[in-house]
Amino acid sequence: MPTQLSLADLDVVHPLAERYARRLCRTLGRPSHEREDMEQDMLLDLLARLPGFDPARGTLAAFATVCFQHRASRLATRLRREKRERHEASLDDAVPGQEEELTLADIIPESEGYSAWCGQQTDAVAALERRLDLDRAGAVLDQRDHSICAALTQCTPHELGQQGPLPRSVLYRRIREMRLRLLAGGIAAAA
């Protein structure tokens, strides 16, 4: 069971990944500049699954083909779902339910910009309050806790305790202390 690819192996699997990425871009109508990202995603998935490759059961090309087919299917599902969730609209689209003919460009103030057109919140007061809350939170927390907060944006406390430099018990104690300091500083829990 190989855990890495040689240059000869890469010569075999790279054209396969390129072909599946090109096909996926064409099928989904994605721009050609996304092909390389899809190709890299497929190769990364293959590397993650490489320990499961058994040369006695088949060739590396066959194994890579199956991996690429499965990854392409998962990528297609994800990209289609993301496209459905986006509310793509033109600024020239008519607004339904209006007696007079209004377009989105007519009802969205220019001051709110592109984010309002995409459906994001554009409340300037709420944005200011968030920024003030973040400043207050940064002042309440110790400098040594900033790295923990940054790491917790990428993983759960349990995962950080397993991989991080701190023992889990110390990590959970520090998180509890941070929560208490934030609460004392006037910042309530979000949920």
Side-chain angles (χ1 to χ4, degrees), residues 52-173:
F53 171 61
D54 183 7
R57 296 182 67 197
T59 65
L60 179 62
F63 180 78
T65 299
V66 171
C67 289
F68 295 154
Q69 287 172 346
H70 289 235
R71 188 64 185 165
S73 173
R74 287 191 304 275
L75 280 172
T77 301
R78 189 187 83 214
L79 291 171
R80 284 184 185 118
R81 183 181 63 241
E82 287 174 359
K83 186 175 182 177
R84 271 194 318 269
E85 290 173 356
R86 266 187 263 133
H87 301 289
E88 295 181 5
S90 169
L91 287 175
D92 297 326
D93 287 349
V95 177
Q98 299 291 329
E99 292 178 14
E100 57 185 90
E101 193 66 31
L102 289 177
T103 64
L104 284 175
D106 295 331
I107 65 168
I108 297 175
E110 196 169 318
S111 62
E112 291 184 3
Y114 182 71
S115 57
W117 178 44
C118 293
Q120 296 176 354
Q121 295 292 333
T122 58
D123 186 6
V125 174
L128 177 64
E129 288 175 349
R130 271 193 309 274
R131 193 168 47 246
L132 290 173
D133 285 343
L134 285 173
D135 287 344
R136 196 169 12 160
V140 169
L141 296 176
D142 292 339
Q143 185 67 29
R144 66 185 181 121
D145 293 330
H146 291 191
S147 61
I148 293 175
C149 292
L152 287 173
T153 63
Q154 303 296 323
C155 61
T156 65
H158 179 74
E159 293 168 344
L160 184 61
Q162 287 179 332
Q163 65 185 346
L166 294 174
R168 238 183 325 177
S169 60
V170 174
L171 177 66
Y172 278 105
R173 188 184 79 242

